Amino acid sequence: MMVLQTQPRLLTLEGGEGAGKSTVLRALRDALLADGCEVVCTREPGGTPLAERIRGLLLDAGDEPVEPHAELLLMFAARAQHVRELIVPALARGAWVICDRFTDSSYAYQGAARGMDVGFIAELERRVVGIAPGFTLLLDIDVAHARERTRGRDLLTGAIPDRIERERDEFFERVRAGFLARAAQHPARFHVVDAGADISAVTEAALARLAAYRRGVA
């Protein structure tokens, strides 16, 4: 059986919509840069030109429903390109990589929320991805609070919700449960932060978790 290779300098941020991942990612990036580290910030789906085009296919609210298997396989197609073309080369030269979402999102969104076979997702992870983050920060927030944030953000920016953001609250409740289940299964890697708190408190907690983690990384 193929075994996932843990990458200590691969940091991932997970959580539902409206959890504040972008703000926290910038804080983690700035902390690493202040210590003289090379930092690569990226996202999923996306991260390379091809993967970004796949992102458009996945998130566009078009007329044709996206079949769950098609959604899952497109996610992993984008991830395969992302890992090989951007993440692995950056790690190989000693950079820290901070990724907004990674494979855990497939377990939460396509697995827990869509009801896809978790064993199939794990097989794709082993065969297509091959690596796992050393540190995963889960920004946990209740769905009602997250919905308020995303509505406020969209009103402020004029953004139109994408295909996944248009799902019902029940879908996002399953997503949240999926993330918390992953955190329980991988307690050494996951660091859960209450993202419903004030953003300064969330950022402070995230930075403290990263600092403690880095003390154990060569």
Side-chain angles (χ1 to χ4, degrees), residues 156-175:
L156 183 65
T157 64
I160 299 173
D162 63 38
R163 183 180 63 84
I164 293 178
E165 289 172 341
R166 295 183 184 190
E167 292 284 355
R168 295 178 178 273
D169 287 359
E170 293 80 3
F171 175 87
F172 292 109
E173 293 287 1
R174 296 194 297 273
V175 168

Side-chain angles (χ1 to χ4, degrees), residues 82-138:
H82 188 206
V83 167
R84 299 297 180 273
E85 296 300 319
L86 187 140
I87 295 177
V88 168
L91 294 170
R93 65 176 183 263
W96 289 78
V97 176
I98 311 176
C99 192
D100 181 346
R101 300 200 182 283
F102 199 58
T103 314
D104 292 302
S105 278
S106 287
Y107 285 97
Y109 281 80
Q110 286 76 53
R114 299 262 190 243
M116 299 293 294
D117 178 17
V118 173
F120 182 49
I121 296 174
E123 185 69 10
L124 288 171
E125 181 181 24
R126 287 191 296 269
R127 292 183 176 276
V128 176
V129 182
I131 62 172
F135 174 97
T136 297
L137 190 69
L138 173 58

